[in-house]
Amino acid sequence: MTTTFDKSERMIWAGQGAAYAKSFAKLCAYPVPQLLDATVVGPGTRLLDVGTGPGTVAAAACARGATVTAVDAEPTMVELAVQAAPAADVRVAALPELPFADGEFDAVVANFLLNHVGRPGVALAELRRVVRPGGWVALTTWASPPAPGQALIGRAIQAGGAVRPQHLPAGLAPEDDFPRDESGLTELMYATGLREAVCETLRWDHHASADEWWSGPANGVAFGGQMVRSQTPQIRADIKRHFDLFSSEFADEDGTLTLPHAALLARGRR
């Protein structure tokens, strides 16, 4: 059931734990309290954190007294998560098949994971499988169209004349995708058997220096980073020149960027 998109994502993120932690991890930490509130995580909750990355969600859940299991497909992420959440059971595992029994957890969360899987419906059904009847599944994913701050790097890549290399997928198969808006994600949750599904849009400003924000693509982090690193030196220079130009739209007097972002937060009950 692993798709070409899934295999490409494994390649894109291989060895990128440290570079991600220094660039985009703080951005993706914003919805963590809302995710844990949505799944009613507290003392004794058996929580599964899928796609834990550097362990931000797992650490926050441990701080609430939950009994936490966390998984990620990328070993360098797991290494960071072990350090961030030493009380959690952290291991390498990946969708679409998780190594857990039906109904093993009281709650399941997946922070910005759905945008990294080739079959979102199949992935969501697997999250539902491992939560107990009556338990909550909650997740976040980026909204479409992207907010201006999220679109900054992509704008620079396009303006720089980048060409997508063959090893990077153009996107999901149409039959596997869904509208990246509140109604689209709500319908996907109902389609996978979850009930009482609700979705909201989170909006926030992320603050970072231009150097910090550029460090992600410069080090090959995520799809955009792989796009940048796959170009000729001249095109990479053109992308960076456009990034510097477009960044000025978001910079304050001391050069700090204020980057508006928007994400979907949804939850449903098994």
Side-chain angles (χ1 to χ4, degrees):
M1 296 174 67
T2 301
T3 68
T4 300
F5 184 91
D6 293 319
K7 294 175 182 176
S8 176
E9 283 291 308
R10 302 285 192 277
M11 179 276 297
I12 288 171
W13 287 97
Q16 290 289 353
Y20 170 76
K22 294 176 182 177
S23 55
F24 301 139
K26 285 185 285 186
L27 166 72
C28 295
Y30 178 86
V32 170
Q34 293 95 318
L35 265 178
L36 297 180
D37 289 346
T39 46
V40 199
V41 172
T45 303
R46 297 172 301 161
L47 175 72
L48 175 63
D49 174 23
V50 184
T52 190
T56 307
V57 176
C62 287
R64 293 189 180 202
T67 300
V68 179
T69 302
V71 300
D72 201 280
E74 170 50 37
T76 59
M77 296 290 189
V78 169
E79 291 173 6
L80 294 174
V82 168
Q83 298 173 29
D89 175 9
V90 186
R91 62 182 85 171
V92 176
L95 292 165
E97 296 181 1
L98 297 172
F100 305 111
D102 294 358
E104 187 168 339
F105 300 96
D106 299 317
V108 177
V109 294
N111 193 33
F112 296 113
L113 176 67
L114 212 60
N115 39 290
H116 296 297
V117 299
R119 293 190 174 122
V122 172
L124 189 49
E126 182 70 349
L127 301 185
R128 177 188 178 276
R129 181 187 69 79
V130 299
V131 75
R132 65 169 174 78
W136 291 100
V137 174
L139 56 90
T140 54
T141 193
W142 296 114
S144 182
Q150 185 185 347
L152 169 59
I153 293 170
R155 285 174 60 200
I157 290 171
Q158 183 176 18
V163 178
R164 181 177 60 83
Q166 291 185 350
H167 71 277
L168 292 181
L172 302 188
E175 64 271 18
D176 292 325
D177 209 351
F178 68 98
R180 305 302 171 112
D181 55 26
E182 292 180 13
S183 61
L185 184 50
T186 301
E187 290 174 7
L188 182 69
M189 298 191 81
Y190 277 122
T192 53
L194 291 165
R195 55 193 176 88
E196 300 178 37
V198 293
C199 182
E200 64 178 306
T201 301
L202 304 179
R203 300 184 186 277
W204 73 100
D205 289 336
H206 179 66
H207 302 281
S209 69
D211 287 344
E212 177 186 341
W213 204 236
W214 177 248
S215 72
N219 287 294
V221 178
F223 181 93
Q226 291 295 310
M227 280 286 291
V228 171
R229 296 187 75 173
S230 297
Q231 308 305 313
T232 66
Q234 181 58 56
I235 292 178
R236 286 200 300 270
D238 286 343
I239 294 171
K240 179 58 164 61
R241 179 170 57 83
H242 282 94
F243 174 84
D244 292 339
L245 176 64
F246 298 152
S247 293
S248 65
E249 301 171 13
F250 303 94
D252 62 19
E253 292 181 356
D254 68 1
T256 300
L257 306 183
T258 298
L259 301 163
H261 279 73
L264 304 173
L265 168 63
R267 78 168 183 170
R269 190 194 296 269
R270 179 174 176 182

